[in-house]
């Protein structure tokens, strides 16, 4: 008798498979605090563009980095009306799902923040335009590094030209 042709009695099969593959009784209560979570952001988010940073020093960004970012936005024909800046150091336990649900973000720029820090289920290197979940992601080094490194600024600018069709 080979293992390919084993026949078991129905009662034995019933004993082996006592649990269902689908758990219909898995009703986990929804935590109201999680669903009504608000995110502290700077900007009006009119074009659903999110800029995610990680700064311990300021609520959103230090002044010099904010001024640099405003220059980058201006080059892309954007202003603070169009974007939202979120500091993940001041918004604890935040994920890409929160951004999607709360801010309806379509374009998300990570400056000095890895995809894993926002629980994104994929990894990608800096300056790789990544599409996921009907959103466009771009990861780049921290803004203070971009301010001082002309080569990095050029690479960022080339990515922004692609994303915004400039």
């Amino acid at each position: 008798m080979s293992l390919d042709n084993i026949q078991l009695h129905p009662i034995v099969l019933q004993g082996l498979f006592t649990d269902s593959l689908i758990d219909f009784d898995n009703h986990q209560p929804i935590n109201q605090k999680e669903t009504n979570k608000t995110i502290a952001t700077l900007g009006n988010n009119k074009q659903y563009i999110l800029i995610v940073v990680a700064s311990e020093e300021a609520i959103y960004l230090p002044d010099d980095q904010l001024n640099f970012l405003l220059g980058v936005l201006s080059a892309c024909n954007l202003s603070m009306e169009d974007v939202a800046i979120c500091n993940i150091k001041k918004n604890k336990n935040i994920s890409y799902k929160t951004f999607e649900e709360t801010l309806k973000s379509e374009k998300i720029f990570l400056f000095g923040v890895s995809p894993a820090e926002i629980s994104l289920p994929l990894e990608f290197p800096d300056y790789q335009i990544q599409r996921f979940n009907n959103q466009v992601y771009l990861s780049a080094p921290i803004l203070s590094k971009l301010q001082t490194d002309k080569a990095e600024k050029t690479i960022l600018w080339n990515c922004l030209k692609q994303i915004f069709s400039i």
Side-chain angles (χ1 to χ4, degrees), residues 9-144:
H9 194 272
I11 292 176
V12 173
L13 286 173
Q14 183 180 6
L16 288 173
F17 301 103
T18 57
D19 295 330
S20 174
L21 292 175
I22 301 171
D23 186 8
F24 293 107
D25 295 330
N26 190 9
H27 299 285
Q28 296 178 356
I30 298 172
N31 187 350
Q32 273 309 79
K33 286 183 183 177
E34 291 252 86
T35 57
N36 295 330
K37 188 172 197 169
T38 57
I39 301 172
T41 60
L42 178 64
N44 290 335
N45 198 30
K46 287 190 176 177
Q47 290 195 24
Y48 305 107
I49 299 168
L50 177 64
I51 298 167
V52 183
V53 296
S55 175
E56 292 284 352
E57 308 135 27
I59 295 174
Y60 298 104
L61 276 173
D63 289 340
D64 60 329
Q65 292 178 27
L66 182 59
N67 289 332
F68 171 73
L69 183 61
L70 289 172
V72 171
L73 292 175
S74 151
C76 296
N77 299 318
L78 298 169
S79 69
M80 289 303 294
E81 286 289 311
D82 302 316
V83 303
I85 299 172
C86 175
N87 183 354
I88 63 167
K89 297 291 184 182
K90 305 299 180 189
N91 291 288
K92 300 293 182 189
N93 300 322
I94 207 156
S95 73
Y96 77 98
K97 288 182 182 180
T98 313
F99 296 143
E100 179 185 7
E101 294 164 1
T102 315
L103 300 173
K104 311 290 186 230
S105 303
E106 295 171 2
K107 295 177 179 79
I108 300 175
F109 300 100
L110 308 172
F111 289 105
V113 177
S114 73
E117 288 180 89
I118 60 167
S119 304
L120 205 58
L122 54 125
E123 282 290 324
F124 50 93
D126 285 351
Y127 305 118
Q128 176 179 310
I129 298 170
Q130 185 68 47
R131 297 187 193 297
F132 173 74
N133 204 21
N134 294 322
Q135 297 168 315
V136 175
Y137 289 87
L138 179 68
S139 177
I142 191 164
L143 287 167
S144 58

Side-chain angles (χ1 to χ4, degrees), residues 129-160:
I129 298 170
Q130 185 68 47
R131 297 187 193 297
F132 173 74
N133 204 21
N134 294 322
Q135 297 168 315
V136 175
Y137 289 87
L138 179 68
S139 177
I142 191 164
L143 287 167
S144 58
K145 180 179 181 184
L146 289 169
Q147 280 178 282
T148 58
D149 192 335
K150 186 174 181 180
E152 296 280 340
K153 278 192 255 189
T154 304
I155 298 169
L156 175 65
W157 177 241
N158 288 332
C159 291
L160 293 174

